[in-house]
Structures are given as structure tokens and as C-alpha cells.
Amino acid sequence: MWYLIFAEDVADSLPLRQQARPAHLARLQALNAEGRVLLAGPHPAIDSDDPGQAGFTGSTIIARFASLAEAESWANADPYVAAGVYAKVSVKPLKITVKPEQAFF
């Protein structure tokens, strides 16, 4: 099943994100290599693809897991959690009813 992982950053998280980003991306890339990621990305703090020093306010990941417990365990083991980037992480089952025929990004 698909699961939505929604994480909210602590204030002024950019330095923490920058430090933990390589390990965070490596985990996502491994999950993606297994064909389990629909999308993943951060939420810019301003209306820009490159927010610079404004940083980010959180992240969203939509990925497949065997169960809610597995999705929660994976999310809670993220390097951003260990680094203190995230103030809160929510994991919910997601039933996708509409998706693009082709990737558009």
C-alpha cells in the first residue's frame, strides 16, 4: 500500500538539513531503486524552487510499504529525525485514485 509521510521542520532547520542531507537522500534513493517511491521532496519556506537561506518547512514522501508499522518505522529512522530537523512526522495510508499517465516533473 502507499503511505504519505509528512514531516514538519523545527525552526531554522537549514543547517541541520544540510548536515544530514547526504544520508537522507541515500535512504530515499535506495527506496526509489526498489521502485517504492512515487514522489518525495521538501517544502520551500518561500515560493521558490530554490529558497536559499529561507530554507524549508518540511518534507513529503509518498512510498510503498507492506504495512503502516513498516512505514512508520522507516520514517522514524530517517537521518533528518536523528539530526533534529523534524519537529513532527505523520504517516498515513494513502489510496491513490488519480495519478498522471506520465511523469511530468
Side-chain angles (χ1 to χ4, degrees):
M1 177 163 206
W2 293 105
Y3 291 88
L4 170 69
I5 300 170
F6 182 82
E8 298 175 59
D9 283 18
V10 297
D12 303 315
S13 64
L14 188 58
L16 299 172
R17 273 183 169 269
Q18 290 170 330
Q19 181 180 1
R21 187 170 191 261
H24 170 78
L25 288 179
R27 284 183 86 235
L28 280 172
Q29 290 165 345
L31 198 64
N32 191 48
E34 296 173 7
R36 296 171 53 192
V37 176
L38 180 64
L39 65 85
H43 308 165
I46 60 174
D47 191 13
S48 173
D49 283 339
D50 182 4
Q53 291 304 307
F56 300 91
T57 62
S59 302
T60 296
I61 300 167
I62 298 177
R64 279 187 197 198
F65 293 94
S67 67
L68 178 59
E70 182 184 323
E72 289 173 332
S73 177
W74 187 90
N76 290 329
D78 193 287
Y80 279 176
V81 172
V85 172
Y86 294 150
K88 180 180 178 183
V89 177
S90 301
V91 181
K92 297 181 179 191
L94 178 67
K95 181 179 179 190
I96 297 174
T97 56
V98 176
K99 67 178 184 175
E101 292 294 323
Q102 298 178 8
F104 55 89
F105 34 109

